[in-house]
Amino acid sequence: MIEVLVKNNVICSIGHSTANIDEAEAGVNSGASFITHLFNAMQPFHHRDPGIVGILSSVKLNRKCHYGIIADGLHTHPAALRIAHRTNAQSAVLVTDAMAAMGLGDGSHCIGSQSVTVTGKKAVISGTETLAGSVVTMNSCIENFMRNSGCTLVEAVNCATKHPAQLLKCADLYGTLDFGTVADFVIIDSDVNVLATFIGGDCVYKSDNFVGFFD
């Protein structure tokens, strides 16, 4: 199935699975190039069978395999972020796992017909402690990843821009600011607060705190 999808230009991902390391390697070598939500809803790492997590350091792959990691401060422990980054920094892709309640504040919300309760940065299925996606923004994930992994701001930003573009095979247009690329970008401060957002070179958002040469 993976081979058929790849031949039809579908980017395939593995994850949310109990696959062992052999099955995971077979999936990648068949054409899969991404791991969904590393560490979450998959077989835990074991020294005899590291499962999908083992893809990060496998030497039996015929292609590069990026991995998505939810750096919201809840889905993935800081130690797990460090392990992933130090094992394979160049393949990391930051994921928010954000759902419809992002930005709406505390209270009861819905994902389709599913009731969700949001408290602070945590979203759970109402009446349980089961995480129901996330309500954090990408700049928060960048800051969390930088602080918890020990990487630089440039490295963290690459995980939210350059690496996803490489995965999606559109790095010639997106993910960097280079000649010929699309002028979609944000301006942030040293604390990763968004000061301004540009789409196609046009400013579509500007923080009250932003004063710059685009005025």
Side-chain angles (χ1 to χ4, degrees):
M1 177 61 75
I2 293 177
E3 294 98 327
V4 173
L5 291 171
V6 171
K7 286 180 181 178
N8 285 276
N9 298 315
V10 176
I11 296 173
C12 293
S13 179
I14 58 175
H16 290 196
S17 166
T18 58
N20 60 36
I21 182 62
D22 292 334
E23 292 167 333
E25 288 172 337
V28 174
N29 289 332
S30 294
S33 55
F34 190 58
I35 299 172
T36 299
H37 299 175
L38 184 72
F39 298 120
N40 294 118
M42 61 180 60
Q43 178 177 302
F45 180 90
H46 189 279
H47 60 285
R48 292 194 189 92
D49 181 1
I52 294 176
V53 176
I55 291 296
L56 270 66
S57 60
S58 175
V59 295
K60 297 181 179 180
L61 306 180
N62 61 10
R63 73 193 65 241
K64 183 173 184 176
C65 185
H66 287 86
Y67 61 90
I69 192 160
I70 307 171
D72 63 348
L74 294 168
H75 278 79
T76 311
H77 192 279
L81 291 178
R82 287 191 290 275
I83 289 171
H85 174 259
R86 294 176 188 179
T87 303
N88 193 336
Q90 295 305 310
S91 296
V93 172
L94 293 184
V95 178
T96 65
D97 201 31
M99 51 86 168
M102 183 185 73
L104 298 182
D106 292 357
S108 296
H109 305 280
C110 291
I111 304 179
S113 60
Q114 181 73 63
S115 177
V116 173
T117 300
V118 175
T119 305
K121 295 183 178 181
K122 187 176 183 180
V124 298
I125 297 174
S126 296
T128 76
E129 286 301 311
T130 302
L131 291 175
S134 165
V135 289
V136 302
T137 55
M138 180 55 76
N139 59 311
S140 293
C141 286
I142 290 172
E143 192 278 329
N144 283 332
F145 191 68
M146 180 175 62
R147 173 165 41 84
N148 290 309
S149 73
C151 73
T152 66
L153 177 58
V154 170
E155 289 175 313
V157 168
N158 279 343
C159 293
T161 55
K162 183 179 180 179
H163 298 176
Q166 291 172 339
L167 165 68
L168 296 174
K169 300 179 181 179
C170 60
D172 57 329
L173 292 176
Y174 298 98
T176 61
L177 284 179
D178 203 349
F179 292 106
T181 59
V182 177
D184 293 350
F185 62 95
V186 296
I187 296 176
I188 58 176
D189 63 18
S190 58
D191 294 320
V192 204
N193 296 306
V194 176
L195 300 179
T197 302
F198 289 77
I199 302 296
D202 296 324
C203 184
V204 297
Y205 166 78
K206 184 168 63 174
S207 166
D208 293 337
N209 299 322
F210 179 63
V211 178
F213 53 84
F214 294 101
D215 292 336

